[in-house]
Amino acid sequence: MNVVIAGAAETDEVGRLPHHSTFQLHLEAARNALADAGLTKDDIDGVATVGTPGPIQVAHALGITPAWLDGTGVGGSSFLFHVRHAAAAIRAGLCHTVLITHGESGRSRVGPGRYGMGPDSLLGQFEVPYGVVGPPTSFTITALRYMKETGLTHEQLAEVAVAQRRWSHLNPRAMFRDLITVEDVLASRMVAYPFHLLECCLVTDGGGALVVTSAERARRSPVHLLGSGESAESPIISQMEDFTTSKAFRLSGEAAFAEAKITHEDVDHLMVYDAFAHVPIYGLEDLGFVGRGEAGAFIAEGHTSPGGRLPMNTNGGGLSYTHTGMYGMFAIQEAVRQLRGEAAAQVPGVEVSVVLGNGGMFASAATLVLANRLP
């Protein structure tokens, strides 16, 4: 069965939204995605989301009685997992049309639970006592090892933020739009070595939603799911097999490419989760677009920027567009826009887009291969 994304939309605004609760962001995104799909809540029999509110609360608020639910929560990649799981459920006949929602008051903190971890957790026992607390200090471990082993320079790392600002400069919805230079990045405040402020993701409010169904039920501009993959490595960064590569990135990418029956030459557009500047570097290498240690120079040479041969993170990414805490939904949204020809910074001739999501600190990953037509 051919499964498609039949509707995709974000909240009316992203950025600073102190007048929106977390729950309101979910519902606003759901309303917009249903309208985009030309469907109503009565067409939905499956609901997926992560965190609080969960899928039961979202279904109840919208007046949906679901036949299928998914509350998979594996960090920022969760929404890519939901697309994959929804496709499997639809093909198995467990449901017909799935609504996937995301809403997060990451900046204003209206409605979400408190951050925290138990002292008996793996993180609480084996990393927090040594000063590894939160994304900036966790991701430094991988970035520094990668720089040492491959020779990636501070200037090349800064080029990731510069390249993505070239895209957000063209996007009216982006939180940061002013063009920047490598010098600007290196002059910004040091957050946790080697990351300067402009190499760290934004903290914003917003949400998005998707409608996944069969091609036969879609009413407008369907985006086809050609392939998908998922994997996980370790809940704590200190237990990664190799700090310079993500095993979950590699495995999920290999599965998605194999199912889609595509090669790297078939890919017109790429979205790689960019919580910090080195994550797109890992994505390019772990997905096989460049060799080990080559991604920094590849980006610095302009290949992922406007006019480059592999446009990447064309909304500006989590570094410049928006990052509510779990960014994966927004990466999918931009891929759909590009495939429909509706993006703010539209790339000509996009037919195949690959989306790679990261969860936690390289803990989980999922990859989607999307296309605007069947091969």
Side-chain angles (χ1 to χ4, degrees):
M1 180 185 293
N2 180 22
V3 173
V4 302
I5 296 175
E10 296 175 4
T11 46
D12 296 342
E13 299 175 273
V14 292
R16 297 181 179 89
L17 307 173
H19 51 291
H20 278 60
S21 69
T22 298
F23 207 167
Q24 185 177 352
L25 293 167
H26 277 267
L27 301 183
E28 186 175 287
R31 178 200 67 191
N32 291 347
L34 287 170
D36 181 71
L39 300 173
T40 72
K41 56 96 174 174
D42 295 327
D43 296 302
I44 303 298
D45 60 354
V47 176
T49 190
V50 58
T52 303
I56 297 174
Q57 292 91 330
V58 170
H60 176 74
L62 292 171
I64 296 168
T65 302
W68 178 86
L69 294 163
D70 186 3
T72 300
V74 285
S77 61
S78 298
F79 313 102
L80 287 81
F81 279 74
H82 294 160
V83 171
R84 188 171 197 248
H85 297 175
I90 291 166
R91 289 173 179 142
L94 303 180
C95 56
H96 300 295
T97 305
V98 175
L99 175 67
I100 303 169
T101 71
H102 170 53
E104 200 169 12
S105 183
R107 187 179 188 90
S108 301
R109 309 300 296 163
V110 183
R114 293 182 178 180
Y115 292 129
M117 69 200 73
D120 58 340
S121 67
L122 289 176
L123 190 62
Q125 293 181 78
F126 301 113
E127 291 189 354
V128 171
Y130 303 97
V132 180
V133 184
T137 50
S138 296
F139 271 131
T140 56
I141 294 169
T142 50
L144 288 169
R145 178 66 65 85
Y146 180 92
M147 295 176 79
K148 174 178 168 49
E149 293 195 6
T150 68
L152 179 79
T153 67
H154 288 279
E155 290 76 14
Q156 288 174 326
L157 187 63
E159 287 278 7
V160 177
V162 173
Q164 295 190 191
R165 189 64 67 87
R166 294 186 185 120
W167 288 112
S168 68
H169 179 66
L170 305 173
N171 187 349
R173 279 172 63 91
M175 187 168 185
F176 288 164
R177 298 188 62 202
D178 292 341
L179 291 173
I180 55 175
T181 65
V182 168
E183 291 72 23
D184 292 329
V185 176
L186 298 181
S188 64
R189 176 172 58 86
M190 182 66 72
V191 174
Y193 188 82
F195 297 128
H196 300 82
L197 181 64
L198 294 179
E199 293 165 322
C200 304
C201 66
L202 303 171
V203 182
T204 62
D205 309 321
L210 302 165
V211 177
V212 180
T213 190
S214 62
E216 293 74 19
R217 292 175 181 269
R219 295 185 181 174
R220 61 145 303 193
S221 303
V223 167
H224 302 270
L225 177 64
L226 300 187
S228 63
E230 64 183 73
S231 190
E233 183 169 359
S234 169
I236 52 176
I237 204 163
S238 61
Q239 299 306 302
M240 288 179 67
E241 183 177 87
D242 181 343
F243 289 153
T244 68
T245 176
S246 167
K247 185 176 184 180
F249 279 14
R250 297 196 312 271
L251 293 177
S252 71
E254 289 167 5
F257 273 64
E259 183 181 9
K261 297 181 174 61
I262 64 164
T263 67
H264 295 89
E265 288 70 31
D266 296 318
V267 179
D268 305 305
H269 175 254
L270 181 63
M271 295 297 296
V272 177
Y273 197 116
D274 60 320
F276 287 79
H278 69 313
V279 182
I281 289 173
Y282 282 54
L284 284 168
E285 295 184 8
D286 291 337
L287 289 176
F289 286 100
V290 297
R292 176 176 170 79
E294 297 177 357
F298 185 81
I299 294 171
E301 290 164 5
H303 297 301
T304 64
S305 293
R309 60 188 175 95
L310 183 59
M312 180 176 71
N313 295 343
T314 51
N315 59 353
L319 296 180
S320 289
Y321 176 60
T322 200
H323 195 297
T324 60
M326 293 184 287
Y327 172 74
M329 173 61 77
F330 301 101
I332 303 170
Q333 294 283 339
E334 175 64 10
V336 170
R337 288 192 290 264
Q338 289 285 345
L339 290 165
R340 287 177 167 180
E342 300 172 350
Q346 182 62 47
V347 175
V350 175
E351 295 183 358
V352 176
S353 177
V354 170
V355 186
L356 172 63
N358 166 74
M361 274 53 77
F362 293 123
S364 72
T367 304
L368 305 178
V369 178
L370 305 174
N372 54 19
R373 60 183 178 86
L374 291 176

